């Protein structure tokens, strides 16, 4: 018996090896039947096959040496088969549909407008397999063949289900219609059984619908205001549109407008952002768990996407507010091929101020405008080209010291008078442009190629006229600064399997910096101008980045994103490079509990240096140099998400984070950018920082009442050897407690109400601790006397806490040719006097011979401010 078993085992092993033994053939071209007979002759193995296989008349083998199975795979290249090895025989049969896998790909768009939906979920409930659209609305999913049901969902839209027989690779596009009964979620996308929450790990999507409906200063909806209400993100100071994320400054946020970096996002000295909500389609915010494809900033990525334009007909929106008005239009250019979207917004503060200041001796005025434009062209289902641009400007000026100057007209001796005046002015603005090409290389590989341009400039100016006898001399001083970028980049996404996606890409940026040039111009009475340039510094640098990223799942519990980001900066003689690992993991503890954690390292080769306690347009952008090193940050987070309520309509997120900063920049004590005694690099000193804290976010994401409650506890310290005698001090953005509440209630299809409440403990500021008598130095020609102040430590005082309640309602009504909306509300409903600025005032109660000062505060909005706005969509 043993001998028989051994013999059978030997035969079996021979048969198992037969299909994988390499052999050579003499015939490499012929019909499928001819090649099979030749293989039988050469291998000595009998090949049995089903007549349902694809038996082609002309087949060409790529090589003359291979395994038997390898040759058979070439013969039936486009006809999947299964095989069985039995004794000295191989039996071939066609694979059933359920044994084969096919790839489905396509786009998810808004049914009405045709806008691509970013982060929409695609899901097969039977097999619990799904994916999400990328930042261009594209998805790719591989499933077993046979009867298939595929669901597409997006927050605020009705789920669409398609049932079909999957028997080959196919393209399935979804067109989702808005769900008016369930308003869009405030922050995050819906949770799927496979934990698929969007195309970017760690990203939060901000609802544009909620931003438009929320109470807004002067009725101006503001995207950045909505972002500032998220945990871990602060505004810096009341009324300003800067973003301060987990202890980082406004320069540490990569703010992208259609893939173009924007270096200043403020209008009206920062009270409003440059983002016109009529032009914006979708927004996502990433403040931890940075995927490897992101680089160049330390604290966050804000990705803003402009509208593409509706496909069916031309429409638009007209908005009339207290501060500004806007007009937007979008629609088809060529049916089913090309669409456009444009929007324009401008204030009329200057016109109102001019009327108010008629007859005044001093005139102060201000205006801003912005323009957004986008056009696209679809070459095919696989190829689409986009061209988009933004242009915005702010101008502020004051004219004063008006007086008459006597002049002589021609040679007649007749005298006349002209009015002359002095003027101070400032201005800033952005211009961006992007040319982007999406191309679906094949069913699993998506590509995007982008060329961008970004230009930010600001200036401060002073004009003065002086009359000396009958001669008039004009003086002008201008301070200019800015940054200009040219970028080329490519991004690829390879959908290897439903649970494994690979992303990779590279980019190159040419930076041109102008840290500051001060120009003095004198024009005497003879009309010949004399110009003096005090400091004209122009610096360029090249920044190269590349990444490789893997997004994966193990079963239905563990999902992760791991990648590597590499960066190189070439400027002066010292090159700087950085290798940055990234890791994000999410583990399902139970159907209602997800554990999550992230580790990331980031680098930044540009700095923003300011002198005020808040971000202003006049803050300077500076590059790294031989003396100034890049900034780095390391961040780790650990948190848990808890889902509860019917259909998981409530989500509670708890997260803790620690973060460190290296090579932060600050001006040295007693210097600034008007100090001409040293170069711009010598005015600065470097240090480090650290931040730690915890965040809570409770969301309700469906039903008539939606919204969120957020709370942040954080602590940020700075360490500069050249400041504060080398001792640590609270960071510029160290706000210990921060809370926000937002609620939106839809009473019916016509009437909605919104409420937002914000609280923040006091920001640190530096105040003098002593004031002492300081006579003028004895060698001065005219002796004067005054006082000097002593500051013993930086950020030695905290401003009073900030809190504010805003209320708003929206009345919408369908009209014959569109939809009109009236918006009413009040900002700072209970009139709390929040501190914007603290200053000292001389006290009138001081005893004779002594000086006392009172510390007072300036409030920007010390009383309730009502607003009204009208808009009409057509």
């Amino acid at each position: 018996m043993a001998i028989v078993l051994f013999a059978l085992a030997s035969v079996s092993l021979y048969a198992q090896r037969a299909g994988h033994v390499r052999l050579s053939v003499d015939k490499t071209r012929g019909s499928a039947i001819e090649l099979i007979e030749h293989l039988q002759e050469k291998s000595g193995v009998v090949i049995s096959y089903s007549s349902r296989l694809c038996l082609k008349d002309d087949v060409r083998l790529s090589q003359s040496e291979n395994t038997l199975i390898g040759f058979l795979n070439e013969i039936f290249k486009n006809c999947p088969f299964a095989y069985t090895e039995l004794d000295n025989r191989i039996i071939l049969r066609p694979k059933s549909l359920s044994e084969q896998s096919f790839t489905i790909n396509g786009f998810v768009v808004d049914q009405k407008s045709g806008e691509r939906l970013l982060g929409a979920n695609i899901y097969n409930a039977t097999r619990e397999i799904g994916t999400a659209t990328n930042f261009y609305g594209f998805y790719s999913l591989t499933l077993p063949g046979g009867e298939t049901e595929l669901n597409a969902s997006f927050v605020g839209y009705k789920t669409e289900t398609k049932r079909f027989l999957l028997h080959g690779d196919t393209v399935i596009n979804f067109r989702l219609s808005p769900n008016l009964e369930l308003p869009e979620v405030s922050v995050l996308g819906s949770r799927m059984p496979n934990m698929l929450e969007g195309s970017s790990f760690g990203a939060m999507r901000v609802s544009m619908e909620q931003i438009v409906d929320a109470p807004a200063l002067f009725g101006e909806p503001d995207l950045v205001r909505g972002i500032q209400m998220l945990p871990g993100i602060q505004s810096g100071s009341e009324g300003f549109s800067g973003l301060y994320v987990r202890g980082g400054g406004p320069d540490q946020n990569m703010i992208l407008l259609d893939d173009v970096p924007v270096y200043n996002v403020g209008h009206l000295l920062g009270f409003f952002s440059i983002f016109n909500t009529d032009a914006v389609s979708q927004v996502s915010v990433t403040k931890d768990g940075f995927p490897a494809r992101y680089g160049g900033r330390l604290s966050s990525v804000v990705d803003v996407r402009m509208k593409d334009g509706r496909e069916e007909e031309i429409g638009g929106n007209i908005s009339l507010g207290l501060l500004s008005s806007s007009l937007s239009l979008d629609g088809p250019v060529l049916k089913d091929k090309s669409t456009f979207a444009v929007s324009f917004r401008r204030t009329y503060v200057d016109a109102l101020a001019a009327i108010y200041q008629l007859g005044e001796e001093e005139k102060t005025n201000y205006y801003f405008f912005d323009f957004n434009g986008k056009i696209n062209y679809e070459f095919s289902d696989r190829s689409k080209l986009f061209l988009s641009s933004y242009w915005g400007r702010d101008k502020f000026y004051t004219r004063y010291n008006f007086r008459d100057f006597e002049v002589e007209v021609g040679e007649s001796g007749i005298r006349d008078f002209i009015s002359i005046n002095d003027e101070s002015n400032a201005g800033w603005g952005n211009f961006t442009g992007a040319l982007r090409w999406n191309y679906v290389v094949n069913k699993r590989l998506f590509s995007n190629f982008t060329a961008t341009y970004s230009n930010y400039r600001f200036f401060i100016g002073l004009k003065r006229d002086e009359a000396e006898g009958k001669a008039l001399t004009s003086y002008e001083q201008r301070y200019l600064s800015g940054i200009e970028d040219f970028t080329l980049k490519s991004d690829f996404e390879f959908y290897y399997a439903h649970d494994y996606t690979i992303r990779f890409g590279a980019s190159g940026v040419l930076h041109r910096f102008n840290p500051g040039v001060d120009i003095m111009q004198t024009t005497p009475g003879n009309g010949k101008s004399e110009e003096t340039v005090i400091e004209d510094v122009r610096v360029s640098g090249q920044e190269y980045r590349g990444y490789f990223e893997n997004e994966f799942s193990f079963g239905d519990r563990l999902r992760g994103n791991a990648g590597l980001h590499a960066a190189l900066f070439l400027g002066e003689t010292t090159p700087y490079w950085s290798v940055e690992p990234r890791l994000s993991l999410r583990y399902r503890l139970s159907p209602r509990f997800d554990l999550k954690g992230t580790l990331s390292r980031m680098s930044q080769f540009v700095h923003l240096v300011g002198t005020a306690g808040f971000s202003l347009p006049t803050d300077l952008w500076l590059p790294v140099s031989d003396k100034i090193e890049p900034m780095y940050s390391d961040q780790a987070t650990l948190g848990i998400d808890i889902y509860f309520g019917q259909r998981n309509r409530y989500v509670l997120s708890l997260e803790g984070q620690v973060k460190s900063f290296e090579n932060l920049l600050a001006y040295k004590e007693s210097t600034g950018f008007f100090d001409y005694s040293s170069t711009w690099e010598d005015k600065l000193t470097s240090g480090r920082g650290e931040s730690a804290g915890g965040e809570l976010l409770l969301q309700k994401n469906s039903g008539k009442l939606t919204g969120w409650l957020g709370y942040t506890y954080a602590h940020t310290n700075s360490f500069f050897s050249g400041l504060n005698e080398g001792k640590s001090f609270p960071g510029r953005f160290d706000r210990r407690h921060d809370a926000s509440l937002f609620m939106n209630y839809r009473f019916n299809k016509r009437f909605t109400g919104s409420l937002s409440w914000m609280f923040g403990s006091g920001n640190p500021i530096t105040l003098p601790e002593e004031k002492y008598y300081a006579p003028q130095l004895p060698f001065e020609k005219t002796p004067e006397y005054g006082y000097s102040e002593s500051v013993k430590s930086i950020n030695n005082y905290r401003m009073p806490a900030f809190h504010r309640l805003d209320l708003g309602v929206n009345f919408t009504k369908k009209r014959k040719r569109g939809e009109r909306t009236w918006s009413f509300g009040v900002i700072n409903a209970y009139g709390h006097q929040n501190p914007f600025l603290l200053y000292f005032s001389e006290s009138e109660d001081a005893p004779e011979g002594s000086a006392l000062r009172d510390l007072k505060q300036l409030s920007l909005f010390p009383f309730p401010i009502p607003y009204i706005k009208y808009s009409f969509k057509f």
Side-chain angles (χ1 to χ4, degrees):
M1 179 63 70
I3 295 175
V4 174
L5 290 175
F6 178 78
L8 291 174
S10 299
V11 173
S12 177
L13 288 172
Y14 169 78
Q16 289 174 4
R17 290 195 303 269
H20 297 85
V21 174
R22 297 188 70 82
L23 66 143
S24 297
V25 297
D26 302 324
K27 188 179 181 67
T28 59
R29 185 170 184 177
S31 68
I33 295 175
E34 291 172 346
L35 292 176
I36 289 173
E37 291 175 350
H38 184 64
L39 290 173
Q40 288 184 127
E41 179 184 342
K42 286 292 185 179
S43 66
V45 177
V46 177
I47 303 173
S48 300
Y49 53 89
S50 168
S51 61
R52 291 184 292 116
L53 286 170
C54 309
L55 299 172
K56 297 182 179 179
D57 294 330
D58 185 18
V59 178
R60 183 190 295 270
L61 301 178
S62 63
Q63 54 188 336
S64 61
E65 186 177 337
N66 204 338
T67 64
L68 184 57
I69 297 301
F71 282 127
L72 291 172
N73 282 330
E74 282 201 76
I75 293 173
F76 300 106
K77 183 177 181 180
N78 298 315
C79 187
F81 66 89
Y83 67 90
T84 303
E85 295 190 48
L86 183 62
D87 296 332
N88 194 32
R89 174 175 295 182
I90 292 180
I91 303 172
L92 308 179
R93 63 174 177 82
K95 279 187 176 181
S96 64
L97 282 178
S98 60
E99 293 178 296
Q100 302 178 54
S101 292
F102 303 103
T103 299
I104 310 167
N105 66 74
F107 293 89
V108 181
V109 301
D110 183 294
Q111 183 183 47
K112 185 177 180 180
S113 66
E115 295 280 344
R116 293 180 176 181
L117 300 179
L118 289 53
N121 293 313
I122 310 298
Y123 188 65
N124 179 265
T126 304
R127 298 183 178 273
E128 293 192 350
I129 295 175
T131 187
T133 58
N134 64 10
F135 277 101
Y136 311 99
F138 176 81
Y139 78 93
S140 177
L141 182 64
T142 300
L143 294 172
E147 292 292 336
T148 302
E149 179 181 294
L150 207 58
N151 300 314
S153 65
F154 190 69
V155 180
Y157 287 76
K158 297 178 182 178
T159 299
E160 183 179 355
T161 301
K162 292 194 176 184
R163 298 176 178 87
F164 52 93
L165 178 65
L166 183 59
H167 54 80
D169 296 335
T170 186
V171 175
I172 300 291
N173 294 319
F174 289 90
R175 303 181 70 88
L176 305 186
S177 57
N179 188 344
L180 299 179
E181 298 302 321
L182 298 177
E184 190 172 349
V185 68
S186 302
V187 183
L188 294 179
S190 61
R191 180 177 186 264
M192 295 179 60
N194 204 25
M195 295 182 296
L196 298 168
E197 297 173 340
S199 60
S200 180
F201 223 92
M204 294 186 293
R205 188 173 58 83
V206 181
S207 163
M208 290 305 301
E209 179 181 335
Q210 299 285 24
I211 289 174
V212 172
D213 287 346
L217 183 63
F218 301 121
E220 296 289 326
D222 197 278
L223 185 154
V224 174
R225 292 276 180 264
I227 296 175
Q228 288 173 346
M229 294 190 70
L230 299 177
I233 303 177
Q234 301 172 10
S235 61
S237 184
E238 182 188 16
F240 279 82
S241 59
L243 295 176
Y244 302 83
V245 181
R246 291 178 170 174
D251 61 325
Q252 296 176 11
N253 306 303
M254 175 66 79
I255 300 179
L256 301 171
L257 179 60
D258 264 13
D259 274 345
V260 187
V262 181
Y263 286 93
N264 183 278
V265 297
H267 276 318
L268 192 59
L269 295 172
F271 286 104
F272 301 98
S273 74
I274 64 172
F275 302 112
N276 183 351
T277 54
D278 290 340
V280 176
S281 171
Q282 296 181 70
V283 184
S284 66
V285 181
T286 303
K287 57 189 175 74
D288 59 26
F290 296 97
R293 58 186 177 274
Y294 289 133
R297 298 294 187 272
L298 304 187
S299 294
S300 76
V301 178
V302 179
D303 199 322
V304 182
R305 300 284 168 160
M306 292 166 52
K307 291 180 179 178
D308 292 339
R310 68 192 81 187
E311 298 177 337
E312 301 300 325
E313 59 182 358
I314 292 179
N317 185 62
I318 299 173
S319 296
L320 305 175
L322 297 176
L323 181 71
S324 70
S325 292
S326 64
L327 170 66
S328 64
L329 288 172
D330 65 286
V333 178
L334 296 174
K335 186 173 177 59
D336 299 327
K337 285 292 184 181
S338 178
T339 63
F340 80 97
V342 295
S343 65
F344 181 77
R345 176 176 62 164
R346 194 191 191 280
T347 60
Y348 25 73
V349 174
D350 51 339
L352 298 175
I355 297 174
Y356 179 77
Q357 295 176 123
L358 284 174
E360 296 289 335
E361 294 186 357
E362 183 175 298
K363 299 181 184 296
T364 300
N365 226 322
Y366 169 85
Y367 69 87
F368 73 74
F369 72 86
D370 45 37
F371 170 82
N372 296 79
K374 190 172 185 178
I375 189 170
N376 61 76
Y377 184 84
E378 187 171 335
F379 297 99
S380 68
D381 290 340
R382 299 172 56 187
S383 177
K384 194 168 187 178
L385 189 69
F386 301 82
L387 177 64
S388 59
S389 181
Y390 167 83
W391 179 35
R393 286 290 183 271
D394 287 69
K395 180 69 180 291
F396 175 83
Y397 59 90
T398 299
R399 293 170 182 164
Y400 56 96
N401 195 21
F402 284 87
R403 55 205 184 277
D404 292 331
F405 178 72
E406 186 179 10
V407 295
E408 188 173 300
V409 182
E411 299 178 357
S412 61
I414 300 176
R415 297 187 178 278
D416 196 3
F417 289 90
I418 62 171
S419 178
I420 60 175
N421 65 275
D422 299 335
E423 179 181 334
S424 61
N425 52 61
W428 59 94
N430 296 278
F431 178 83
T432 70
L435 181 64
R436 188 173 73 242
W437 179 42
N438 291 169
Y439 182 66
V440 181
V441 181
N442 57 45
K443 61 187 179 182
R444 296 187 181 182
L445 182 60
F446 180 89
S447 64
N448 180 69
F449 302 93
T450 309
T452 72
Y453 174 75
S454 178
N455 189 324
Y456 169 66
R457 289 287 182 270
F458 86 79
F459 72 89
I460 302 173
L462 177 66
K463 296 179 180 179
R464 189 175 74 251
D465 293 323
E466 290 188 0
E468 298 179 0
K470 297 181 180 180
L472 179 66
T473 302
S474 297
Y475 298 91
E476 182 176 1
Q477 181 178 4
R478 288 172 290 161
Y479 187 87
L480 311 172
S481 183
I483 181 172
E484 187 178 34
D485 284 353
F486 301 86
T487 304
L488 291 174
K489 70 171 187 172
S490 60
D491 300 279
F492 297 88
E493 294 186 56
F494 180 62
Y495 299 85
Y496 181 79
H498 73 272
D499 56 359
Y500 186 42
T501 301
I502 299 172
R503 299 183 179 95
F504 57 95
S507 64
V509 185
L510 173 62
H511 296 288
R512 291 179 178 174
F513 300 88
N514 185 357
V517 52
D518 201 21
I519 301 174
M520 303 285 293
Q521 182 172 311
T522 304
T523 306
N526 58 17
K528 295 182 179 181
S529 298
E530 299 177 3
E531 187 172 276
T532 303
V533 178
I534 296 180
E535 185 178 12
D536 188 2
V537 181
R538 298 181 186 273
V539 183
S540 64
Q542 302 170 48
E543 185 174 344
Y544 301 97
R545 293 184 177 270
Y547 68 90
F548 185 85
E549 176 187 326
N550 302 271
E551 192 158 317
F552 54 86
S553 297
F554 290 109
D556 61 352
R557 286 184 176 269
L558 179 63
R559 180 171 175 241
N561 184 298
L564 199 65
H565 185 99
L568 172 68
F569 187 89
L570 302 176
E572 298 182 335
T573 60
T574 304
Y576 293 103
W577 58 274
S578 175
V579 177
E580 305 159 20
R582 315 280 175 79
L583 176 64
S584 300
L585 296 173
R586 179 182 288 269
Y587 183 76
R588 175 183 290 184
L589 296 171
S590 72
R592 293 187 180 272
F593 293 87
D594 287 351
L595 186 66
K596 57 185 180 180
T598 70
L599 293 170
S600 59
R601 180 171 177 80
M602 309 290 284
S603 65
Q604 182 170 331
F605 299 127
V606 294
H607 300 261
L608 181 68
V609 182
T611 54
F614 42 84
S615 178
L616 289 175
T618 53
D619 294 345
L620 300 181
W621 284 97
L622 305 172
V624 296
S625 66
D626 290 345
K627 296 181 180 180
I628 297 177
E629 297 184 7
M631 292 187 289
Y632 299 98
S633 76
D634 295 288
Q635 182 175 229
T637 68
L638 183 64
I640 188 171
D641 290 342
I642 304 171
Y643 301 83
F644 56 97
Q646 186 179 8
R647 296 184 179 179
N648 291 335
R649 66 171 56 189
Y650 296 96
V651 184
L652 175 64
S653 298
L654 302 170
E655 191 169 44
Q657 62 89 19
V658 292
K659 188 176 181 182
S660 64
F661 303 92
E662 301 174 38
N663 301 326
L664 301 177
L665 283 189
Y667 278 112
K668 294 177 180 178
E669 295 175 351
S670 302
T671 190
F673 57 74
F674 288 117
D675 174 18
Y676 305 124
S677 62
S678 57
T679 65
W680 62 274
E681 294 169 303
D682 294 331
K683 302 173 187 178
L684 305 168
T685 183
S686 64
R688 60 185 179 89
E690 58 185 27
S691 177
E695 299 166 9
L696 174 150
L697 178 64
L698 174 64
Q699 305 171 71
K700 183 178 183 296
N701 54 26
S702 63
K704 289 189 174 182
L705 176 65
T706 59
W708 74 85
L709 170 66
Y711 170 74
T712 303
Y713 174 81
H715 189 280
T716 303
N717 274 335
S718 298
F719 308 84
F720 286 78
S721 60
L723 298 178
N724 207 48
E725 299 179 348
K727 301 176 183 178
S728 67
F729 55 91
R732 178 179 171 187
F733 321 111
D734 178 38
R735 180 184 288 175
R736 299 294 172 83
H737 302 277
D738 198 90
S740 61
L741 171 67
F742 175 78
M743 292 190 296
N744 180 278
Y745 190 82
R746 183 178 292 275
F747 295 91
N748 52 50
K749 292 182 179 180
R750 296 178 54 187
F751 177 36
T752 63
S754 296
L755 172 153
S756 63
W757 181 79
M758 295 164 284
F759 171 86
S761 56
N763 290 334
I765 61 170
T766 302
L767 292 178
E769 300 177 15
E770 292 180 327
K771 179 181 178 181
Y772 53 90
Y773 176 67
Q776 192 76 303
L777 295 175
F779 54 77
E780 295 289 345
K781 295 181 180 179
T782 305
E784 295 181 359
Y785 303 93
Y787 293 90
S788 294
E789 296 175 335
S790 173
V791 176
K792 293 185 178 180
S793 61
I794 297 176
N795 292 340
N796 56 352
Y797 189 82
R798 286 192 178 271
M799 302 176 75
F802 157 86
H803 52 91
R804 193 182 81 197
L805 174 67
D806 302 334
L807 303 172
V809 293
N810 299 280
F811 298 92
T812 302
K813 187 175 182 179
K814 295 283 186 180
R815 293 294 189 184
K816 184 177 180 180
R817 296 186 178 179
E819 178 182 276
R820 69 106 177 104
T821 300
W822 282 101
S823 300
F824 303 91
V826 59
I827 304 300
N828 195 12
Y830 51 78
H832 182 66
Q833 297 192 23
N834 290 302
F836 171 71
L837 183 69
L838 299 186
Y839 64 96
F840 283 106
S841 176
E842 298 294 338
S843 174
E844 298 178 356
D845 299 329
E848 186 177 352
S850 63
L852 292 177
R853 296 192 298 175
D854 295 327
L855 183 61
K856 297 184 178 181
Q857 76 174 34
L858 172 66
S859 298
L860 292 179
F861 313 115
F863 47 80
I865 301 176
Y867 71 84
I868 181 174
K869 183 179 181 181
Y870 174 83
S871 62
F872 184 75
K873 293 182 180 180
F874 57 93

